[in-house]
Amino acid sequence: MDNSIILIAGGGILGIAIGFVIAKVLEKNNASKLVKEAKKSASLIIKEANSEGESIKKDKILQAKEKFIELKSEHEKVILSRDKKMAEAEKRTRDKESQVSSELAKNKKLNESLEAKLKDYDHRLDVLDKKQEEIDRLHKSQVEQLEVISSLSAEEAKAQLIESLKGEARNDAMAYIQSSLEEAKLTAEQEAKKVIINTIQRIGTEEAVDNCVSVFNIESDDVKGRIIGREGRNIRAIEAATGVEIIVDDTPEAIILSCFDAVRREVARLSLHKLVTDGRIHPARIEEVVQKTQKQIEQEIIEVGKRTVIDLGIHNLHPELIKMVGRMKYRSSYGQNLLQHSREVAKLCGVMAAELGLNPKLAKRAGLLHDIGKVPDAEADMETPHAILGMQWAEKFGEKEDVCNAIGAHHDEIEMKSLLAPIIQVCDAISGARPGARRQVLDSYIQRLKDLEDIAFGFNGVKKAYAIQAGRELRVIVESEKVDDQKAADLSFNISQKVQTDMTYPGQVKVTVIRETRAVNIAK
């Protein structure tokens, strides 16, 4: 029993051992197959890698060759361009060298010719000096011979000759002056008239004369009592608030506002209109309405200035200057509205500057601003002439030098430094001298005519003198026995010079001297 168990166990063990050996043999065979297959695949991979490496190597070699060829061609191009530039530079250098050499040769020839001419001039100067000495000697001998023949010295003969020529020279000079004046009148005056007439014809403005009083119309006389108020308190309040004198008289349905300041009159008129329309008229309401009206007028002044500047095509004007332009609406000069006058002067200046080939925009600017000094803000400004004050304001607010000079010089208070200044002066005179534009004081007008006649009576031989055509012509009648034709021409010239130097007048004064000879006989 035990032996059979042992045999069975040994057989099992032997079977296990044999199975293990068989498994090992089979595993070894499988491993050898795997190794062979791995070696085979590795050899294939190595072969493929070698072939791919050879192809990559060939590609890289080809790329390197192409890059080398490209770099070589670029290098050759750079070398060729450098060679070309060097050749051009060498050519320019050779050209300059040849030019310099030719210039040197020309300069050398010029120097030689100059030296030859200098020698020739020196020789000629020597000859001229000798001839001058000979001429002086001959002249001296001739003068001595003439003195012996005439029994007069050279100085005495010269004095007699000068005396004999003085009268003739005076007459010739006067005739020449007269002809020159006539010729100048035919040219300069004709052209000036042409420019001025064309300018005036192209500018047409309506003028309205402002007075120192305004009439406030009311619907009925019952309103007058409400405006006056109890014991006159309302009218006193209006006068105190506006600074305007209110005259209530027997004039039906009208109240008169009197004040030299047109702004105050306008404030008073508008305030009265609002109070009468509203119906509430008492001191507190009056002060409130006057304050609102003053603000409204100030805003209106600015709007008027802006509209004026826009209408004239003037740009970049300082706001303070625009305000001054608007204030000119409520100012007048000799009865002529200042804003209308300045607008007219601006248009005249623009046209005249364009005719003369100058800047019309700058001329318009100076023409509009030329009288801003007539609207001073403070009492101290009223002591300064308006032209100087306007120039100072223009300089303060950044206007150009030509504009400032034209403003300050339009009444000859400073020196004119540009052509713009006389244009402003002429256009100002044109605007103010038109018939009906300004009021003239009768006494000053009569005195000017009398002064004209007195100047004529101050000359010898004047029999009568008449100032006609509103002082623009002076007719002088002389005594024919004392004044001949030549002296009449001299007298006309001398009187015109005297008028020009001693009097101030607008425009021109024509002096006409009349010499009349009458022969009277009576037949019996």
Side-chain angles (χ1 to χ4, degrees):
M1 186 70 179
D2 293 332
N3 290 328
S4 61
I5 292 169
I6 292 168
L7 288 171
I8 292 169
I13 293 168
L14 181 64
I16 291 168
I18 292 168
F20 178 77
V21 169
I22 292 168
K24 284 290 184 182
V25 171
L26 291 172
E27 182 179 358
K28 186 176 180 181
N29 290 332
N30 290 330
S32 63
K33 286 181 181 180
L34 291 173
V35 169
K36 286 180 181 179
E37 289 177 357
K39 285 182 180 179
K40 187 176 180 181
S41 61
S43 64
L44 289 172
I45 290 169
I46 291 169
K47 187 175 180 181
E48 290 177 357
N50 288 330
S51 63
E52 186 175 357
E54 287 294 329
S55 65
I56 291 170
K57 182 178 178 182
K58 290 179 181 179
D59 292 338
K60 292 295 182 182
I61 290 171
L62 288 173
Q63 290 178 2
K65 287 182 179 180
E66 290 175 356
K67 187 69 175 177
F68 175 75
I69 292 169
E70 183 179 354
L71 291 174
K72 184 178 179 182
S73 63
E74 289 180 358
H75 182 66
E76 289 176 352
K77 288 180 181 178
V78 171
I79 291 173
L80 288 173
S81 66
R82 287 182 180 177
D83 292 340
K84 186 176 180 181
K85 289 181 180 178
M86 289 178 66
E88 291 176 353
E90 289 177 356
K91 184 180 179 182
R92 288 197 299 271
T93 305
R94 288 195 299 270
D95 293 339
K96 287 183 179 179
E97 287 178 354
S98 63
Q99 185 177 359
V100 169
S101 62
S102 64
E103 291 292 334
L104 288 173
K106 288 181 180 177
N107 291 333
K108 186 176 180 181
K109 291 180 179 179
L110 287 174
N111 289 330
E112 292 175 353
S113 104
L114 284 174
E115 289 177 357
K117 287 181 179 179
L118 286 173
K119 290 180 181 179
D120 186 28
Y121 291 152
D122 291 337
H123 177 68
R124 291 184 179 183
L125 286 173
D126 293 338
V127 173
L128 287 174
D129 290 338
K130 292 178 180 179
K131 288 184 177 180
Q132 186 64 39
E133 292 176 357
E134 182 67 21
I135 289 170
D136 292 339
R137 185 179 62 77
L138 293 174
H139 178 70
K140 186 176 179 181
S141 65
Q142 288 177 356
V143 169
E144 291 175 351
Q145 291 177 4
L146 288 172
E147 288 178 354
V148 172
I149 293 170
S150 62
S151 300
L152 292 173
S153 64
E155 294 298 327
E156 292 174 350
K158 189 186 294 183
Q160 289 183 3
L161 182 61
I162 290 172
E163 288 296 329
S164 65
L165 292 176
K166 273 185 180 179
E168 184 179 354
R170 189 181 295 110
N171 293 332
D172 292 342
M174 193 59 64
Y176 177 74
I177 291 171
Q178 191 68 27
S179 64
S180 299
L181 287 174
E182 293 297 330
E183 184 179 357
K185 287 178 181 178
L186 289 174
T187 56
E189 187 174 344
Q190 184 178 3
E191 290 298 323
K193 284 181 179 179
K194 180 181 176 183
V195 172
I196 292 171
I197 290 171
N198 288 338
T199 303
I200 293 173
Q201 287 177 343
R202 290 171 63 181
I203 306 297
T205 59
E206 296 180 358
E207 291 294 334
V209 177
D210 292 338
N211 299 316
C212 295
V213 295
S214 297
V215 179
F216 177 71
N217 297 314
I218 54 179
E219 294 180 357
S220 64
D221 290 339
D222 296 337
V223 181
K224 287 185 179 180
R226 296 169 57 193
I227 292 174
I228 295 171
R230 183 180 299 175
E231 297 177 356
R233 64 175 187 172
N234 289 344
I235 199 169
R236 286 197 300 272
I238 294 172
E239 288 179 348
T242 60
V244 175
E245 183 181 0
I246 299 177
I247 302 171
V248 181
D249 54 13
D250 297 334
T251 306
E253 298 181 356
I255 293 175
I256 296 175
L257 310 177
S258 176
C259 182
F260 284 100
D261 192 336
V263 177
R264 293 182 189 174
R265 288 204 316 275
E266 187 68 11
V267 170
R269 189 185 67 80
L270 292 177
S271 300
L272 275 175
H273 178 72
K274 291 179 181 178
L275 289 168
V276 171
T277 304
D278 185 52
R280 295 176 293 168
I281 305 176
H282 53 82
R285 176 66 176 164
I286 288 168
E287 291 181 1
E288 179 185 353
V289 170
V290 168
Q291 288 179 359
K292 289 182 179 179
T293 306
Q294 285 175 346
K295 291 180 181 179
Q296 178 184 346
I297 289 294
E298 289 178 0
Q299 188 63 32
E300 184 181 349
I301 285 172
I302 295 173
E303 290 299 323
V304 168
K306 288 181 179 179
R307 285 199 302 270
T308 302
V309 169
I310 291 170
D311 290 344
L312 294 174
I314 297 172
H315 305 287
N316 301 325
L317 198 64
H318 196 276
E320 286 297 324
L321 293 178
I322 293 176
K323 187 176 179 181
M324 291 176 187
V325 170
R327 288 174 61 191
M328 288 195 291
K329 178 183 177 182
Y330 301 102
R331 294 289 188 275
S332 61
S333 177
Y334 297 97
Q336 186 181 24
N337 183 269
L338 194 58
L339 180 60
Q340 289 296 104
H341 167 65
S342 298
R343 286 172 64 97
E344 183 177 357
V345 170
K347 292 179 181 178
L348 289 168
C349 290
V351 175
M352 192 170 290
E355 291 286 341
L356 298 175
L358 302 176
N359 188 347
K361 292 185 178 180
L362 205 63
K364 279 186 180 181
R365 198 182 192 94
L368 179 64
L369 300 176
H370 81 284
D371 269 348
I372 57 173
K374 289 185 178 180
V375 286
D377 288 325
E379 189 72 23
D381 293 337
M382 299 182 70
E383 299 176 358
T384 307
H386 76 274
I388 303 298
L389 183 61
M391 180 185 70
Q392 292 173 355
W393 282 348
E395 290 174 347
K396 179 181 178 181
F397 296 121
E399 290 299 317
K400 293 184 179 181
E401 184 179 355
D402 290 347
V403 175
C404 297
N405 178 257
I407 294 171
H410 79 275
H411 284 310
D412 293 324
E413 287 168 332
I414 63 171
E415 182 184 357
M416 296 183 181
K417 296 182 179 179
S418 68
L419 288 176
L420 199 60
I423 289 177
I424 304 301
Q425 188 179 52
V426 169
C427 294
D428 182 35
I430 291 172
S431 175
R434 291 187 300 101
R438 293 185 175 183
R439 293 194 302 267
Q440 288 187 335
V441 180
L442 181 61
D443 294 339
S444 63
Y445 169 71
I446 294 173
Q447 184 62 38
R448 183 163 69 87
L449 299 184
K450 187 175 181 301
D451 292 341
L452 269 175
E453 294 175 354
D454 290 342
I455 287 176
F457 282 119
F459 290 86
N460 293 326
V462 175
K463 185 178 179 181
K464 295 178 183 179
Y466 302 103
I468 61 175
Q469 293 186 4
R472 289 180 173 83
E473 183 176 355
L474 179 62
R475 290 192 178 179
V476 181
I477 300 174
V478 297
E479 299 177 7
S480 59
E481 297 82 5
K482 296 182 180 180
V483 180
D484 58 11
D485 291 340
Q486 184 62 41
K487 287 183 179 179
D490 298 345
L491 185 63
S492 174
F493 177 77
N494 293 331
I495 291 175
S496 65
Q497 294 299 312
K498 182 74 172 175
V499 171
Q500 185 174 342
T501 55
D502 292 358
M503 292 189 65
T504 302
Y505 49 89
Q508 296 178 345
V509 177
K510 181 180 179 182
V511 179
T512 304
V513 175
I514 300 172
R515 178 179 178 268
E516 184 180 20
T517 303
R518 292 187 182 183
V520 180
N521 291 301
I522 298 173
K524 295 180 181 180

